[in-house]
Coordinates of all heavy atoms in Angstrom, one line a residue:
M15 N -67.2 31.7 -18.8 CA -67.5 31.0 -17.5 C -66.6 29.9 -17.2 O -66.4 29.4 -16.1 CB -68.9 30.7 -17.4 CG -69.4 30.3 -16.0 SD -69.3 31.8 -14.9 CE -69.0 31.1 -13.4
L70 N -68.7 30.9 -4.3 CA -69.8 30.4 -5.0 C -71.1 30.7 -4.4 O -72.1 31.0 -5.1 CB -69.6 28.9 -5.0 CG -68.6 28.3 -6.0 CD1 -68.5 26.8 -5.8 CD2 -68.9 28.6 -7.4
F71 N -71.3 30.7 -3.0 CA -72.4 31.0 -2.3 C -72.9 32.4 -2.6 O -74.1 32.6 -2.5 CB -72.3 30.6 -0.9 CG -73.5 31.0 -0.1 CD1 -74.6 30.2 -0.2 CD2 -73.5 31.9 0.9 CE1 -75.7 30.4 0.6 CE2 -74.6 32.1 1.8 CZ -75.8 31.4 1.6
H72 N -72.0 33.3 -2.9 CA -72.3 34.8 -2.9 C -72.7 35.1 -4.3 O -72.9 36.4 -4.5 CB -71.1 35.6 -2.4 CG -71.2 35.8 -1.0 ND1 -70.7 34.8 -0.1 CD2 -71.6 36.9 -0.2 CE1 -70.9 35.4 1.2 NE2 -71.4 36.7 1.2
V73 N -72.7 34.3 -5.3 CA -73.1 34.6 -6.7 C -74.4 35.3 -6.7 O -74.7 36.4 -7.2 CB -73.0 33.6 -7.6 CG1 -73.5 33.8 -9.0 CG2 -71.5 33.0 -7.8
P74 N -75.5 34.7 -6.1 CA -76.8 35.5 -6.2 C -76.8 36.8 -5.6 O -77.4 37.8 -5.9 CB -77.8 34.5 -5.6 CG -77.0 33.3 -5.6 CD -75.6 33.5 -5.6
F75 N -76.0 36.9 -4.5 CA -75.9 38.2 -3.7 C -75.2 39.2 -4.6 O -75.4 40.5 -4.6 CB -75.2 38.0 -2.3 CG -76.0 37.1 -1.6 CD1 -75.6 35.7 -1.4 CD2 -77.1 37.5 -0.8 CE1 -76.3 34.8 -0.6 CE2 -77.9 36.4 0.0 CZ -77.4 35.3 0.1
A77 N -75.1 39.2 -7.8 CA -76.1 39.7 -8.8 C -77.0 40.7 -8.4 O -77.3 41.6 -9.1 CB -76.8 38.4 -9.3
S83 N -82.2 40.5 -11.4 CA -83.1 39.5 -10.9 C -82.6 38.1 -11.0 O -81.7 37.7 -11.7 CB -84.4 39.6 -11.6 OG -84.4 39.1 -12.9
L84 N -83.2 37.2 -10.1 CA -82.8 35.9 -10.2 C -83.0 35.2 -11.6 O -82.2 34.5 -12.0 CB -83.5 35.0 -9.1 CG -83.2 33.6 -9.0 CD1 -81.7 33.4 -8.5 CD2 -84.0 33.0 -7.9
A85 N -84.1 35.7 -12.3 CA -84.4 35.1 -13.5 C -83.3 35.5 -14.5 O -82.9 34.7 -15.4 CB -85.8 35.6 -13.9
Q86 N -82.8 36.8 -14.4 CA -81.7 37.2 -15.3 C -80.5 36.4 -15.1 O -79.8 36.1 -15.9 CB -81.5 38.6 -15.1 CG -82.8 39.6 -15.6 CD -82.5 41.0 -15.2 OE1 -82.1 41.3 -14.2 NE2 -82.8 41.8 -16.2
V87 N -80.2 36.1 -13.7 CA -78.9 35.4 -13.4 C -79.0 34.0 -14.0 O -78.1 33.5 -14.7 CB -78.8 35.3 -12.0 CG1 -77.6 34.4 -11.7 CG2 -78.5 36.6 -11.4
L88 N -80.2 33.4 -13.9 CA -80.4 32.0 -14.6 C -80.3 32.0 -15.9 O -80.0 31.1 -16.6 CB -81.6 31.4 -14.0 CG -81.7 31.1 -12.4 CD1 -83.1 30.7 -12.0 CD2 -80.7 30.1 -12.1
A89 N -80.8 33.0 -16.6 CA -80.8 33.1 -18.0 C -79.4 33.1 -18.6 O -79.0 32.6 -19.7 CB -81.4 34.4 -18.5
V90 N -78.4 33.8 -17.8 CA -77.1 34.0 -18.4 C -76.3 32.7 -17.8 O -75.4 32.2 -18.5 CB -76.4 35.2 -17.8 CG1 -75.0 35.3 -18.2 CG2 -77.2 36.4 -18.4
W91 N -76.6 32.4 -16.5 CA -75.8 31.2 -16.1 C -76.8 30.3 -15.3 O -76.9 30.4 -14.1 CB -74.6 31.8 -15.1 CG -73.9 30.6 -14.5 CD1 -73.6 29.4 -14.9 CD2 -72.9 30.8 -13.4 NE1 -72.8 28.7 -14.2 CE2 -72.3 29.6 -13.2 CE3 -72.7 31.8 -12.3 CZ2 -71.5 29.2 -12.2 CZ3 -71.8 31.5 -11.4 CH2 -71.2 30.3 -11.3
P92 N -77.3 29.3 -16.0 CA -78.4 28.4 -15.4 C -77.9 27.6 -14.1 O -78.6 27.3 -13.2 CB -78.7 27.5 -16.5 CG -78.3 28.2 -17.7 CD -77.1 29.1 -17.3
A93 N -76.5 27.4 -14.0 CA -76.1 26.5 -12.9 C -75.7 27.5 -11.7 O -75.3 26.9 -10.7 CB -74.7 25.9 -13.4
A94 N -76.0 28.8 -11.8 CA -75.6 29.6 -10.7 C -76.2 29.3 -9.4 O -75.7 29.2 -8.3 CB -75.9 31.1 -11.0
V95 N -77.6 29.1 -9.4 CA -78.4 28.8 -8.2 C -77.9 27.4 -7.6 O -77.8 27.2 -6.4 CB -79.8 28.9 -8.4 CG1 -80.6 28.4 -7.3 CG2 -80.3 30.5 -8.6
P96 N -77.9 26.4 -8.5 CA -77.5 25.1 -8.0 C -76.1 25.2 -7.3 O -75.9 24.5 -6.3 CB -77.5 24.2 -9.2 CG -78.5 24.8 -10.1 CD -78.3 26.2 -9.9
F97 N -75.1 25.9 -8.0 CA -73.8 26.0 -7.5 C -73.8 26.7 -6.0 O -73.2 26.3 -5.1 CB -72.9 26.7 -8.4 CG -72.2 25.8 -9.4 CD1 -72.9 24.9 -10.3 CD2 -70.9 25.7 -9.5 CE1 -72.2 24.1 -11.1 CE2 -70.2 25.1 -10.4 CZ -70.8 24.1 -11.2
A98 N -74.6 27.8 -6.0 CA -74.6 28.6 -4.8 C -75.4 27.8 -3.7 O -74.9 27.8 -2.5 CB -75.4 29.8 -5.1
G99 N -76.4 27.1 -4.0 CA -77.1 26.3 -3.1 C -76.3 25.1 -2.5 O -76.3 24.8 -1.3
T100 N -75.6 24.5 -3.4 CA -74.6 23.3 -3.0 C -73.6 24.0 -2.1 O -73.4 23.3 -1.0 CB -74.0 22.6 -4.3 OG1 -75.0 22.1 -5.0 CG2 -73.2 21.5 -3.8
A101 N -73.0 25.1 -2.4 CA -71.9 25.7 -1.6 C -72.5 26.1 -0.4 O -71.8 25.9 0.8 CB -71.3 26.8 -2.4
G102 N -73.7 26.6 -0.2 CA -74.3 26.9 1.0 C -74.5 25.8 1.9 O -74.3 25.8 3.1
A103 N -74.9 24.8 1.3 CA -75.2 23.5 2.1 C -74.0 23.0 2.6 O -74.0 22.5 3.7 CB -75.9 22.5 1.2

Side-chain angles (χ1 to χ4, degrees):
M15 196 59 211
L70 286 174
F71 180 64
H72 273 76
V73 169
F75 301 100
S83 66
L84 184 59
Q86 290 173 320
V87 174
L88 292 176
V90 178
W91 185 18
V95 172
F97 270 56
T100 302

